[in-house]
Amino acid sequence: MAVRVCAAEDIKPGNALRVTIEGHPIALVRLNDGNFRAIDDKCSHGEISLSEGFVEDETLECWAHGAKFDLNTGVPLSLPAYEAVSTYEVLVENDEVFIEYEA
């Protein structure tokens, strides 16, 4: 099911935004090219919010310990994280952002 999470203008390119669907935190990321990605908003290394991290190209870096995650696959690209996080499909229609989410 596609769930509306925000307007496209709510998130600037190169930034991340924490959104919640049915109590589940998700990091919505807008890449520098304007495209969107979404991954679980919890570093697999610790209980750290990834949406507070740093966006670089197609990665999101945890601000606390520096683990980088591939925004397309959720796979960690650097230690200390070694477990992947879930990714979600993002749709944009009429400047509204939706995330495909199944509980």
Side-chain angles (χ1 to χ4, degrees):
M1 125 180 107
V3 178
R4 183 199 177 276
V5 292
C6 69
E9 66 185 15
D10 291 344
I11 180 170
K12 302 290 184 231
N15 288 287
L17 175 70
R18 180 186 180 108
V19 298
T20 305
I21 300 176
E22 297 181 13
H24 187 104
I26 296 173
L28 177 64
V29 177
R30 189 165 193 181
L31 303 175
N32 285 324
D33 66 7
N35 288 314
F36 291 88
R37 301 289 185 272
I39 65 173
D40 277 341
D41 190 26
K42 183 173 73 173
C43 180
S44 60
H45 171 251
E47 299 291 317
I48 304 296
S49 174
L50 289 174
S51 63
E52 296 176 24
F54 310 102
V55 178
E56 184 179 333
D57 298 323
E58 301 259 339
T59 67
L60 183 57
E61 180 180 342
C62 178
W63 64 269
H65 300 113
K68 288 186 180 183
F69 293 86
D70 183 308
L71 288 168
N72 296 301
T73 64
V75 171
L77 302 173
S78 64
L79 294 174
Y82 59 89
E83 291 181 32
V85 295
S86 295
T87 60
Y88 304 91
E89 183 178 354
V90 180
L91 308 166
V92 180
E93 295 179 11
N94 299 321
D95 291 325
E96 300 292 324
V97 182
F98 298 82
I99 292 177
E100 283 288 336
Y101 183 82
E102 299 297 327

